[in-house]
């Protein structure tokens, strides 16, 4: 019969796992922050109804 155990027991004294977890969360938070800044910048460049970005292109 298989003995059940918790993953915590497997990861005890494995600092690499904690470093991986903390690093991954930090990277995700940084990405989300950059994405939010990008969206805010786009909103300032393209106000609703501004035809500079949505209107037809005319050759000169």
């Amino acid at each position: 019969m298989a003995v059940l155990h918790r993953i915590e027991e497997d990861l005890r004294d494995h600092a690499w796992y904690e470093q991986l977890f903390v690093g991954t969360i930090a990277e995700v938070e940084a990405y989300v922050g950059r994405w939010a800044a990008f969206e805010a910048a786009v909103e300032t460049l393209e106000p609703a109804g501004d035809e500079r970005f949505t209107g037809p292109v005319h050759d000169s």
Side-chain angles (χ1 to χ4, degrees), residues 14-27:
H14 292 284
W16 65 268
Y17 181 78
E18 182 178 354
Q19 292 169 352
L20 176 65
F21 176 78
V22 170
T24 300
I25 295 301
E27 288 295 324

Side-chain angles (χ1 to χ4, degrees), residues 2-56:
V3 177
L4 297 177
H5 63 278
R6 295 171 53 137
I7 193 170
E8 175 185 17
E9 295 168 4
D10 292 335
L11 298 174
R12 188 176 295 130
D13 301 322
H14 292 284
W16 65 268
Y17 181 78
E18 182 178 354
Q19 292 169 352
L20 176 65
F21 176 78
V22 170
T24 300
I25 295 301
E27 288 295 324
V28 169
E29 288 175 341
Y31 173 80
V32 170
R34 289 190 305 270
W35 186 258
F38 170 75
E39 286 184 332
V42 168
E43 287 178 6
T44 64
L45 294 174
E46 190 174 346
D50 188 343
E51 291 187 20
R52 291 180 301 161
F53 301 105
T54 58

